[in-house]
Amino acid sequence: MARQFGADVSSNNPPNVNNYARFGSKFVIVKLTEGTTYRNPSAKQQIASAIASGQTPHGYFFAVFSDNSYLAQLNAELAIYQAKALGLPAGSILATDWEVGDGNEVNGPVSANTQAILVSMRMIQKAGYKPMLYSGAYNLKNRVNTSLILKEFPDSLWVAAYPLGNGIAVSQPDFSCFPSMDGVAIWQFTNNWCNQGVDGNIALMDFSKVKNEEVDDELNWHPQVKYNELGQFKINRPNGADLYEDASLKKVVGHRPNGATFKINRAKDGAVCAGTNQWFSQADGLTKINPLAVNPYGKGIAQITADNAWTQNNAKPDAGIKHLEKGSTWHVLGRSGKYLLIGNEQSGKFVDGDKATIVL
């Protein structure tokens, strides 16, 4: 149990956060966005000053989507965009702050609340950040199915519970008052840590370093598919992944091991289909999609797999012009049927897609 202190900040806190390091802060979680339009004007300086003072920066966004999964997607898109624009390192925490306020409601159906939150967390994970869910202990116990959250994202809860109430200066948490919940990774134990007017947190894991093994795995994994195949899914959860009956991910029908790969037939709402009654949660692995399968103007990389591949002028059986060496790779600008357009837009030529694969 790491038990490291950290602060979380917004535009209500100073742009320079280096003072918190004096009180033992090892990490700072910076508010990046709110809803679909607001950006914290102090975020850039807060991240920079955290790094300069030896505190690891992380991020969060204030959710304004209530139980609406579509709005959750839009909220997460802005947060991810801002995280990347501000240079928040891949692998950093990017938490969904889901609580009452600024138009966000928590009194919707628990199932709808949970699904909307999961939409945001899945998008965050896919973007290369560590998803977490922040809220008060009451909301997490009564308004969200946290067991479903933790099934996809173990140890992902950041819970607020102030034993002494709001505004009371607290320097150390009283663990006899620790919120009794599964999956708590960070406890926000005061909103006036060390009389600094800043939220104080205690982490039960080491968040003072950014871990990015999953992103590295994605960068190193380059499956190859046929021109018309949607993509591939690779399980990277250490204990493997459950197999579900449909895209709702409710009924488990099997289990597959870590490292197993599957061709993707369809994708829907954070789930991928690898066959009849074989659906995986995208949170359990890496997904790589072939843009050329769904867009004739998509772009990609093709590798020649046949000895007798030639360029040709037309997207139909035609006389060969230039022989393409087996194993060579080419930029693809689109496709017509099974024929891939390679080269450049001004002088591109076609190659038979049956003699190449798309490298994802």
Side-chain angles (χ1 to χ4, degrees):
M1 192 173 286
R3 295 200 179 184
Q4 294 179 326
F5 287 114
D8 65 271
V9 298
S10 68
S11 59
N12 294 322
N13 303 103
N16 191 324
V17 302
N18 59 10
N19 189 52
Y20 306 137
R22 295 177 49 237
F23 299 94
S25 175
K26 300 296 184 183
F27 61 93
V28 178
I29 310 179
V30 178
K31 179 176 181 178
L32 304 182
T33 61
E34 179 172 322
T36 60
T37 57
Y38 174 82
R39 295 171 172 84
N40 173 12
S42 300
K44 183 174 183 179
Q45 189 173 347
Q46 287 169 334
I47 290 172
S49 59
I51 295 171
S53 56
Q55 301 172 90
T56 303
H58 298 284
Y60 77 92
F61 73 95
F62 191 94
V64 187
F65 57 72
S66 303
D67 61 356
N68 187 312
S69 291
Y70 176 67
L71 287 179
Q73 177 181 333
L74 298 182
N75 276 223
E77 284 177 350
L78 179 62
I80 291 164
Y81 175 86
Q82 194 69 354
K84 293 183 176 180
L86 295 172
L88 193 70
S92 303
I93 294 167
L94 184 49
T96 300
D97 176 354
W98 188 84
E99 57 183 301
V100 176
D102 293 345
N104 195 66
E105 299 292 340
V106 300
N107 295 320
V110 169
S111 59
N113 292 342
T114 305
Q115 287 304 316
I117 290 166
L118 281 170
V119 166
S120 72
M121 295 178 75
R122 288 166 182 158
M123 290 182 63
I124 286 165
Q125 184 179 66
K126 188 173 181 181
Y129 293 102
K130 178 178 177 57
M132 296 192 75
L133 170 61
Y134 169 91
S135 198
Y138 181 86
N139 284 339
L140 292 173
K141 291 178 180 179
N142 296 279
R143 302 300 187 192
V144 182
N145 184 346
T146 55
S147 63
L148 202 58
I149 300 287
L150 295 172
K151 185 175 181 180
E152 284 201 33
F153 304 102
D155 301 316
S156 63
L157 299 185
W158 173 18
V159 58
Y162 309 157
L164 298 181
N166 288 323
I168 306 300
V170 178
S171 59
Q172 296 285 335
D174 180 357
F175 270 89
S176 68
C177 301
F178 182 80
S180 56
M181 298 176 61
D182 293 332
V184 177
I186 303 176
W187 174 24
Q188 186 184 88
F189 60 91
T190 179
N191 64 353
N192 189 13
W193 184 42
C194 297
N195 206 29
Q196 296 298 300
V198 68
D199 295 337
N201 301 273
I202 190 81
L204 309 186
M205 301 176 176
D206 185 358
F207 293 117
S208 64
K209 297 184 177 117
V210 170
K211 298 177 182 178
N212 194 23
E213 295 90 345
E214 183 174 310
V215 175
D216 291 340
D217 188 14
E218 183 173 7
L219 292 174
N220 293 328
W221 180 51
H222 297 288
Q224 298 188 27
V225 298
K226 288 192 65 175
Y227 60 85
N228 58 353
E229 291 176 352
L230 184 59
Q232 286 205 359
F233 174 77
K234 177 182 178 182
I235 297 172
N236 68 352
R237 193 173 290 281
N239 295 327
D242 285 335
L243 198 61
Y244 296 88
E245 183 179 53
D246 55 38
S248 69
L249 305 179
K250 292 180 179 178
K251 184 178 179 181
V252 176
V253 295
H255 192 80
R256 296 294 183 269
N258 176 40
T261 60
F262 302 86
K263 292 180 182 178
I264 298 172
N265 297 327
R266 284 180 290 158
K268 180 181 179 181
D269 297 334
V272 292
C273 176
T276 304
N277 296 331
Q278 294 191 67
W279 288 82
F280 294 98
S281 167
Q282 285 185 275
D284 289 338
L286 303 175
T287 302
K288 290 207 170 178
I289 298 295
N290 172 21
L292 291 151
V294 295
N295 179 7
Y297 302 104
K299 294 180 172 58
I301 299 292
Q303 184 174 61
I304 303 302
T305 57
D307 291 316
N308 61 337
W310 295 77
T311 60
Q312 54 190 61
N313 285 321
N314 301 298
K316 60 183 181 181
D318 199 357
I321 300 172
K322 176 184 176 182
H323 179 256
L324 301 177
E325 183 179 353
K326 183 178 180 179
S328 62
T329 56
W330 301 86
H331 287 284
V332 181
L333 301 177
R335 75 178 178 96
S336 177
K338 72 169 184 174
Y339 292 93
L340 307 176
L341 179 63
I342 64 173
N344 59 61
E345 295 178 359
Q346 289 73 36
S347 59
K349 301 294 182 181
F350 290 95
V351 64
D352 187 338
D354 287 331
K355 298 179 180 180
T357 55
I358 306 301
V359 182
L360 303 181

